[in-house]
Amino acid sequence: MEVGKMTVSINKAINAQEVAVKEKHARTCILGTHHEKGAHTFWLAVNRLPLSSNAVLCWKFCHVFHKLLRDGHPNVLKDSMRYKNELSDMSRMWGHLGEGFGQLCSIYLKLLRTKMEFHTKNPRFPGNLQMSDRQLDETGENDVNNFFQLTVEMFDYLECELNLFQTVFSSLDMSRSVSVTAPGQCRLAPLIQVILDCSHLYDYTVKLLFKLHSCLPADTLQGHRDRFLEQFRKLKDLFYRSSNLQYFKRLIQIPQLPENPPNFLRASALSEHISPVVVIPVEASSPDSEPITDLVEMETSSQQSLFDNKFDDLFGSSFSNDPFNFNSQNGMTKDDKDRLIEQLHREISTLKEELKNFKAESHRLMMQLKGRVSELEAELAEQQHLKQQALDESDFLRTELDELKKRHEDTEKAQRSLTEIERKAQATEQRYTKLKEKHSELVQNHADLLRKHAEVTKQVTVARQVQSDAERDRKELEDSFQRLGEQAQWKTQEQVEVLEALRRELVASKEELQALQSTVESSARSEAEAHSQLASLQLETSTLTETVAQRDQRVAALQAEMQQLKTTLERGKEDSSKVVEELQRRLGERERSTQSLRQQHLDKQFALLQCAVREAEQMVQDALNRLEDPTHSSCTSSADYLLSRTLAASECVQRLQEAGSQYLSDQSDVSSVLSCVTLFGHLIGDTVLQASATSHMAPMEPADVLLEACRHCGGESLHYLGALKAKASWESADNAAVRNCLGRITAIAEDLLPKGLDIKQEELGDLVDKEMAATAAAIETAAARIEEMLSKSRAGDTGVKLEVNERILASCTGLMQAIQVLVEASKDLQREIVESGRGAASPKEFYARNSRWTEGLISAAKAVGWGATVMVDAADLVVQGKGKFEELMVCSHEIAASTAQLVAASKVKADKGSANLSKLQAASRGVNQATARVVASTKSGKSQIQEKDTMDFSAITLTQIKRQEMDSQVRVLELESQLQKERHRLGELRKKHYELAGVAEGWEEDGADLAP
């Protein structure tokens, strides 16, 4: 069947007229799927139809597609699975319409998707659901779980069928004779397929439920029974209502379900179940069968007559009336008998010689036949070799077609990637109105190129048809070879049978000769028996004479058959050579047509590539023109974003160079270089614009250098794209100058980066995870050290000192636990921020895009870990009596400040209603409370120690007291002076700390960006 004929039938079957689909068009579509062994042509034609804008068109598409799934080729399901998501989207779209064909289309599309999923999960079920009971049992593989799941899937399948049934009836005005009107028949026609599916699903569901009740308790299957009863009532009502419609009475005989549903609790009820059978009128059988029968009878009779003739030739049809000639034996003398005996001896010797010669001649003929058979086998091997060559040529053509399909898929992938790139470009460049217009023109040109590509695909389909013709010719040649081989084998078998018969006759002759010898010996011993022995010898002599005559006739017949066989074989050889020459001529024509199609395809691909090159040139030229646009002077960008653009452009340039080399080696693959050229134009234009925007925020001298580098880069890119316009200049095209320009722009951007961005942006994500892990590890180490110090204090201290140490270390342990909770809450909130803010990018790209926030988070994590370590060291010295309580309190306050910084850094990008943010704030309050407990326990311990060390002035004299008072005043003045100096130093340290932190985190650049 021609592809054009099938496409016309599809367009006639699926049209916008509100009438039922004609059966002849649907049958043509079904036969087309069996002819091409798939549904490629069907989907190629359907994809051109506006199914999303015309409900009647979509409804008739669902009807035809349902027929193809039921009666079409099994590969229809495989070829249609790729469009399952499109059917789901179309179903949701039509579901928004609450009336008319829109709701019907939504439910029908859902049913088709359910049918496709059911047959995909259960490949043993054919599309028309016709199975025997044995095949139904094999689907479960003797596993009750499989039967249970299969029953659930059938319930879902039948539910979709009944839903469509009810929706169609509810959309009809049953008060009028809607079944005789064209719109009513348009809605009712698909229900014939639904009735066929429902009858099989109901029958299989009943049988599976009986099988499940024989294996599982009744309570377990209560849900199955309830669902079956509900579907039974619906199906019975719908069958009854359908059987009363005039439209169905002439097209289908609808079965009626029993009054009561089957009783699954009674196993014998299965024998009472009658499978519902839907009867469709069968068309008259084809009259082609009678001539075939007559032909068989004629061939059989001719073979029988030929066998009879050969039997008569071999064994004769009658004998002589008087073979013994008894009348001539009267009056014979003894000398006559001796002469007769000698004559008989001579004749016997002669016969022996003749038998020997005949045996030699038979052996020679047999060897000639074997030689001829060997020659025929060699010719057959040669023909098989030619057939194998034809098969290899067909495989080669098939491989080329597969490569064309793969290239077509690659082109589609390139189209999808191009669409994705255009979508991103629209999202990032919404403020560039002119660029949008250029982009729309690019899309229009791309659509034209896609139409050209569709024409190329159509030509590939024609080439595929040519290949199918070659395969058909090859099959005819194989059949002719097989017939010649069978004829040769049949002739050889007949000759072997004849030789075996001759061999048996020779053995009989030898036995007869032995009998003659014994008769001659007995005649010498007894004269009384001479007469009878001579008579028998004469009879045997006449018999031998007749045998020799018959053998001569057989030899002549064999020679005639040999001559006929030689003639037949020569004629077959001539016919085979003619067929081979015709096939070689056809293969040559197909090779030339295939070469022409391949060249046309290469030319169109290169034209497509030239269009892409021109669009890339237009992108770069538009970006260079924007540099001179006064409105562009208000646009600004950052150096780190410019680095990301130049990096992407450099990678694209490298890929374009590799794709160009690949295209030069294999010009049939243009997909990779096509996508690279389009992406090259976009990225170079974006790099030029971003570099210009970055120069507006840079100092005067670097800005001028950067603008000059942008113009030079754009010029070199245009020069490189110009070299790609002609095939002759492809080999000499080099993008080294473009790479050098991009490297120069990258170096200038790196010089413009703030000092805080020294870390590579791709390392920020790893650094965040490392710092958070290091912080958690430092806290765990500090907690372990506090436990160790508490154990040592309990072992070596007593009294007030032990009590003070236990209180301080316990409060420090509580502080470490609170910090651990805070760090975990910060990790959870950080993951939430990354997942909600990164979109389709990776976490590392999100950290790189928000580098300042990331560095603040890293700084806060470092401060928390450092504060925990310092506080443990201070606590260790206090417990040992070598440290100061003030150091411990200061460390506690420092940890509280660091955790507050971590909370603030995490809170910047968090959602206000986030549960993880609330959890982090609660953990922060816990840290503050734990810090307060550490300070309180430290102060309390300090007061206890000071009370213990109170001075005793009872034994000191007045002079000594005065002396110590003066020393104490001097000490107070010194301490006050030191305190003033330390406070001033602390202020300077904090000022310097803020200054360094601001430079590291880019505060100055933020201030510059906010300045008018």
Side-chain angles (χ1 to χ4, degrees), residues 285-403:
S285 60
S286 175
D288 297 337
S289 59
E290 295 181 359
I292 295 175
T293 305
D294 297 340
L295 204 62
V296 173
E297 292 177 355
M298 292 173 61
E299 185 178 356
T300 305
S301 62
S302 63
Q303 290 181 356
Q304 182 66 30
S305 62
L306 180 63
F307 177 78
D308 293 340
N309 293 332
K310 286 188 175 294
F311 182 85
D312 294 339
D313 293 339
L314 291 174
F315 301 103
S317 58
S318 62
F319 293 97
S320 173
N321 293 327
D322 189 12
F324 299 103
N325 194 12
F326 287 106
N327 297 326
S328 63
Q329 295 180 3
N330 296 329
M332 184 177 292
T333 61
K334 185 175 181 180
D335 295 333
D336 294 334
K337 292 179 181 178
D338 293 336
R339 288 194 299 272
L340 182 60
I341 290 172
E342 291 176 358
Q343 183 180 358
L344 288 176
H345 278 294
R346 288 193 298 272
E347 289 178 358
I348 288 171
S349 301
T350 304
L351 289 174
K352 284 183 179 180
E353 291 295 332
E354 290 178 356
L355 286 175
K356 184 176 180 181
N357 295 333
F358 182 78
K359 185 176 181 180
E361 183 67 17
S362 299
H363 180 70
R364 185 181 61 81
L365 291 175
M366 185 174 66
M367 294 303 295
Q368 288 181 355
L369 289 176
K370 286 184 179 180
R372 184 57 182 166
V373 169
S374 300
E375 292 177 0
L376 291 176
E377 288 178 351
E379 290 179 0
L380 182 61
E382 183 180 0
Q383 297 298 331
Q384 289 179 349
H385 177 67
L386 295 176
K387 181 188 74 173
Q388 186 63 34
Q389 288 182 349
L391 287 174
D392 294 338
E393 292 292 335
S394 300
D395 293 337
F396 177 75
L397 292 176
R398 191 179 295 109
T399 304
E400 288 186 347
L401 288 176
D402 292 337
E403 291 179 357

Side-chain angles (χ1 to χ4, degrees), residues 125-253:
F125 282 86
N128 55 11
L129 294 175
Q130 293 182 1
M131 297 181 69
S132 63
D133 293 342
R134 182 180 60 82
Q135 292 173 337
L136 183 62
D137 292 337
E138 290 176 355
T139 56
E141 299 178 354
N142 295 326
D143 189 351
V144 68
N145 295 321
N146 294 339
F147 285 117
F148 190 92
Q149 181 63 28
L150 181 60
T151 307
V152 174
E153 294 174 359
M154 284 190 176
F155 279 146
D156 296 338
Y157 193 178
L158 186 57
E159 187 70 28
C160 293
E161 302 273 6
L162 296 175
N163 191 14
L164 179 61
F165 222 134
Q166 290 178 333
T167 308
V168 171
F169 273 109
S170 63
S171 66
L172 296 174
D173 185 4
M174 304 306 294
S175 62
R176 299 185 295 110
S177 298
V178 293
S179 65
V180 297
T181 63
Q185 292 177 0
C186 181
R187 300 192 183 199
L188 291 174
L191 295 186
I192 295 177
Q193 310 301 319
V194 176
I195 292 171
L196 292 171
D197 288 344
C198 289
S199 62
H200 292 296
L201 290 174
Y202 168 77
D203 182 31
Y204 300 154
T205 304
V206 171
K207 294 177 181 178
L208 289 176
L209 284 177
F210 273 111
K211 183 178 291 292
L212 288 175
H213 278 81
S214 65
C215 302
L216 297 175
D219 296 338
T220 305
L221 300 172
Q222 181 63 41
H224 279 50
R225 291 197 299 275
D226 295 340
R227 193 171 182 185
F228 173 79
L229 291 177
E230 180 183 358
Q231 294 184 353
F232 173 80
R233 289 191 292 270
K234 291 181 181 179
L235 186 61
K236 181 180 178 182
D237 178 63
L238 293 173
F239 275 7
Y240 176 74
R241 295 172 64 184
S242 302
S243 62
N244 295 328
L245 292 178
Q246 187 65 29
Y247 176 69
F248 291 121
K249 289 182 179 180
R250 64 184 181 86
L251 295 177
I252 188 172
Q253 183 178 348

Side-chain angles (χ1 to χ4, degrees), residues 60-71:
K60 299 178 80 171
F61 155 73
C62 294
H63 185 191
V64 176
F65 185 41
H66 197 171
K67 278 180 169 290
L68 294 183
L69 289 177
R70 279 186 53 82
D71 303 326

Side-chain angles (χ1 to χ4, degrees), residues 210 258 261-263 266-275:
F210 273 111
N263 185 8
R266 184 167 56 90
S268 60
L270 179 60
S271 60
E272 302 172 1
H273 170 67
I274 300 176
S275 301

Side-chain angles (χ1 to χ4, degrees), residues 300-549:
T300 305
S301 62
S302 63
Q303 290 181 356
Q304 182 66 30
S305 62
L306 180 63
F307 177 78
D308 293 340
N309 293 332
K310 286 188 175 294
F311 182 85
D312 294 339
D313 293 339
L314 291 174
F315 301 103
S317 58
S318 62
F319 293 97
S320 173
N321 293 327
D322 189 12
F324 299 103
N325 194 12
F326 287 106
N327 297 326
S328 63
Q329 295 180 3
N330 296 329
M332 184 177 292
T333 61
K334 185 175 181 180
D335 295 333
D336 294 334
K337 292 179 181 178
D338 293 336
R339 288 194 299 272
L340 182 60
I341 290 172
E342 291 176 358
Q343 183 180 358
L344 288 176
H345 278 294
R346 288 193 298 272
E347 289 178 358
I348 288 171
S349 301
T350 304
L351 289 174
K352 284 183 179 180
E353 291 295 332
E354 290 178 356
L355 286 175
K356 184 176 180 181
N357 295 333
F358 182 78
K359 185 176 181 180
E361 183 67 17
S362 299
H363 180 70
R364 185 181 61 81
L365 291 175
M366 185 174 66
M367 294 303 295
Q368 288 181 355
L369 289 176
K370 286 184 179 180
R372 184 57 182 166
V373 169
S374 300
E375 292 177 0
L376 291 176
E377 288 178 351
E379 290 179 0
L380 182 61
E382 183 180 0
Q383 297 298 331
Q384 289 179 349
H385 177 67
L386 295 176
K387 181 188 74 173
Q388 186 63 34
Q389 288 182 349
L391 287 174
D392 294 338
E393 292 292 335
S394 300
D395 293 337
F396 177 75
L397 292 176
R398 191 179 295 109
T399 304
E400 288 186 347
L401 288 176
D402 292 337
E403 291 179 357
L404 290 176
K405 289 181 181 178
K406 189 179 296 183
R407 293 167 189 165
H408 177 63
E409 293 176 357
D410 294 337
T411 305
E412 291 180 350
K413 291 180 180 179
Q415 176 189 355
R416 289 195 293 271
S417 62
L418 182 61
T419 306
E420 183 67 20
I421 292 169
E422 290 170 354
R423 185 184 64 80
K424 291 181 179 180
Q426 288 176 357
T428 55
E429 300 176 3
Q430 293 179 355
R431 60 184 181 273
Y432 301 138
T433 306
K434 291 184 179 180
L435 191 57
K436 282 185 178 180
E437 296 175 356
K438 297 296 182 180
H439 174 66
S440 62
E441 293 177 2
L442 177 61
V443 171
Q444 183 63 32
N445 293 334
H446 187 64
D448 296 336
L449 294 176
L450 285 178
R451 285 193 291 271
K452 294 179 182 178
H453 188 271
E455 295 177 358
V456 175
T457 306
K458 187 180 297 182
Q459 294 177 358
V460 172
T461 306
V462 173
R464 188 185 305 161
Q465 182 66 27
V466 171
Q467 182 186 5
S468 64
D469 295 340
E471 291 181 355
R472 185 169 62 253
D473 295 338
R474 179 180 56 78
K475 291 181 180 178
E476 292 177 358
L477 180 59
E478 289 179 354
D479 294 338
S480 63
F481 287 162
Q482 186 175 3
R483 287 194 298 270
L484 288 174
E486 290 176 354
Q487 291 177 1
Q489 184 177 3
W490 180 63
K491 293 292 183 180
T492 305
Q493 186 175 2
E494 286 186 351
Q495 294 171 1
V496 171
E497 291 176 355
V498 171
L499 291 176
E500 289 294 332
L502 293 175
R503 189 180 294 110
R504 287 193 298 270
E505 291 176 359
L506 287 174
V507 173
S509 299
K510 289 181 180 179
E511 293 177 354
E512 291 173 358
L513 289 175
Q514 291 177 359
L516 286 174
Q517 290 177 358
S518 61
T519 303
V520 171
E521 292 176 357
S522 62
S523 63
R525 290 192 301 267
S526 175
E527 291 183 3
E529 298 176 357
H531 295 287
S532 60
Q533 293 294 334
L534 286 173
S536 62
L537 285 172
Q538 289 177 355
L539 178 62
E540 290 172 356
T541 302
S542 62
T543 304
L544 287 173
T545 304
E546 292 177 358
T547 302
V548 170

Side-chain angles (χ1 to χ4, degrees), residues 593-611:
S593 62
T594 304
Q595 186 67 26
S596 177
L597 288 175
R598 187 183 295 110
Q599 186 61 37
Q600 292 178 5
H601 183 63
L602 292 176
D603 294 340
K604 290 183 178 180
Q605 282 187 340
F606 187 74
L608 180 65
L609 180 59
Q610 296 311 302
C611 292

